[in-house]
Amino acid sequence: MSYNSSTEANCVCSEDIKKNEESNFDLVLKEKWMEAQKNGVFRYILNVQDWKILEGKYHFLVQLNIDRGYKRRSPENIISMNQPFNEKDFNFTKLVSEEQIMNLNNTDKDDIIAINASPIKYYHSLLLPQRCKQLPQLVTKHSLVKGVELFSLSLSSYIRVAFNSLCAFASVNHLHWHLYYLKWRMLLEYIGELIINAEMEDLQNYIMMDAVPPSWTKRVYPSKLGLNSWFTDMLYRINKLSDWTADFKFMKLIIESVANFDAWNSTQTGKINIAKLNERQNKASFNAHDCCYP
């Protein structure tokens, strides 16, 4: 993956850049973005008056950006997620050269990064994949790959690449992705996090030592075997139990055993009613040893 701009840069990152969490890609993008702002290319000078984190489990970040509300380009009339591209409407083939930051991996300016003329953050830009093909705002494999490639170009942990579809606040029906830097963790970055506690650390240690964790033996049979041998033995027992229950012999044995309690005369002598027990045993259609654990 490579890129070029009026300011030459390469993707070989020095130790100093790694320490600052910025690659040459990040530095060039930010430099060109600030240059465009200095030259008055944006529709307004970014001025976020206020921001806050909303209460609740999602912790959404909201900001007060009045200029974006009043000075941005009027959105297209979007009525369908599959609305076709219309070359008569505004599209990104009409960008002036001052809005274009860099080309990505080609010389025909078909995959480029451009400023977002109505930014929500500093360095808010647009990834415009296959721009000259005039594709509608629908995700394509090529555009997704280009979006992922940006993460390999950047060293910043704050970089974000986002897509909003038609009928989901996309204002231009021409394929584009948003690119910006945000020093705030978004929901998708932590919603699946697993926090390691002391119990989980103990479990990890027992597994590494090939020992059966005590928390497991509370729910299964005790054993002095190592974890690997114990697990193999447990699988063997499960398979044997499956064999027993496959033809219902094991279940029938249990039913017969429970039924034999009727042969116990607890109200009289406390002795087994031998006649009744023999009667039930003669009715059994199989030998109990057929189902015994070997």
Side-chain angles (χ1 to χ4, degrees):
M1 177 68 181
S2 62
Y3 61 90
N4 58 74
S5 69
S6 57
T7 302
E8 289 297 327
N10 60 61
C11 298
V12 179
C13 304
S14 67
E15 290 300 320
D16 289 337
I17 292 177
K18 289 182 179 179
K19 187 181 299 183
N20 294 329
E21 295 186 330
E22 286 188 328
S23 67
N24 284 354
F25 167 81
D26 299 309
L27 295 173
V28 169
L29 186 147
K30 292 181 178 182
E31 177 186 348
K32 301 293 287 184
W33 196 96
M34 294 301 295
E35 182 180 322
Q37 179 176 255
K38 181 180 178 180
N39 293 334
V41 181
F42 292 91
R43 300 180 73 88
Y44 54 83
I45 299 297
L46 181 63
N47 179 26
V48 177
Q49 288 86 355
D50 199 4
W51 65 274
K52 71 175 183 178
I53 306 300
L54 296 183
E55 295 181 358
K57 65 178 182 178
Y58 298 118
H59 304 292
F60 287 123
L61 170 67
V62 296
Q63 63 173 212
L64 179 61
N65 186 346
I66 296 177
D67 288 330
R68 180 172 170 84
Y70 286 98
K71 298 181 180 180
R72 65 181 296 197
R73 183 182 293 105
S74 298
E76 288 184 39
N77 181 26
I78 306 297
I79 60 175
S80 169
M81 292 181 64
N82 295 316
Q83 191 164 315
F85 177 88
N86 187 345
E87 63 179 6
K88 295 181 181 180
D89 292 328
F90 170 80
N91 62 78
F92 299 117
T93 63
K94 301 178 181 181
L95 295 179
V96 297
S97 59
E98 290 80 7
E99 295 180 88
Q100 301 176 33
I101 293 179
M102 64 179 70
N103 304 328
L104 295 175
N105 208 30
N106 58 58
T107 57
D108 58 5
K109 298 185 178 181
D110 200 29
D111 294 324
I112 72 168
I113 292 178
I115 65 166
N116 187 322
S118 302
I120 61 173
K121 293 280 294 179
Y122 273 100
Y123 317 121
H124 183 187
S125 305
L126 297 173
L127 167 63
L128 306 175
Q130 297 179 303
R131 177 177 64 123
C132 300
K133 289 189 176 181
Q134 300 182 335
L135 300 174
Q137 181 66 348
L138 294 170
V139 174
T140 64
K141 179 180 178 180
H142 178 84
S143 71
L144 181 59
V145 169
K146 287 298 178 182
V148 173
E149 284 180 349
L150 294 182
F151 291 102
S152 67
L153 289 175
S154 173
L155 285 179
S156 174
S157 59
Y158 303 131
I159 192 170
R160 304 288 187 269
V161 178
F163 180 89
N164 58 332
S165 70
L166 302 179
C167 300
F169 302 106
S171 59
V172 179
N173 187 19
H174 189 182
L175 182 56
H176 64 281
W177 291 67
H178 292 269
L179 168 64
Y180 57 98
Y181 296 81
L182 180 66
K183 295 183 179 181
W184 179 257
R185 298 183 69 199
M186 304 176 73
L187 175 65
L188 290 177
E189 296 179 72
Y190 63 83
I191 194 171
E193 277 189 351
L194 182 64
I195 300 176
I196 304 298
N197 55 30
E199 184 179 355
M200 295 177 68
E201 286 187 357
D202 288 341
L203 176 62
Q204 174 182 277
N205 292 334
Y206 276 104
I207 292 175
M208 292 179 64
M209 294 185 296
D210 191 36
V212 181
S215 59
W216 292 9
T217 57
K218 292 179 181 179
R219 295 171 174 80
V220 295
Y221 59 93
S223 174
K224 294 183 179 180
L225 296 173
L227 178 60
N228 185 56
S229 300
W230 175 84
F231 188 73
T232 301
D233 178 67
M234 182 181 67
L235 291 180
Y236 176 78
R237 291 172 182 240
I238 292 174
N239 291 333
K240 182 58 65 174
L241 182 61
S242 297
D243 292 341
W244 282 353
T245 57
D247 56 3
F248 297 101
K249 285 185 177 181
F250 183 63
M251 185 60 66
K252 187 172 183 180
L253 177 61
I254 293 176
I255 294 173
E256 290 290 341
S257 298
V258 173
N260 283 339
F261 279 107
D262 291 340
W264 183 268
N265 189 346
S266 60
T267 60
Q268 296 181 9
T269 62
K271 297 181 180 180
I272 297 177
N273 187 329
I274 300 299
K276 196 168 186 179
L277 182 60
N278 288 337
E279 180 184 352
R280 292 188 176 277
Q281 186 174 359
N282 292 333
K283 291 181 180 180
S285 60
F286 64 94
N287 191 326
H289 290 288
D290 291 342
C291 295
C292 287
Y293 190 89

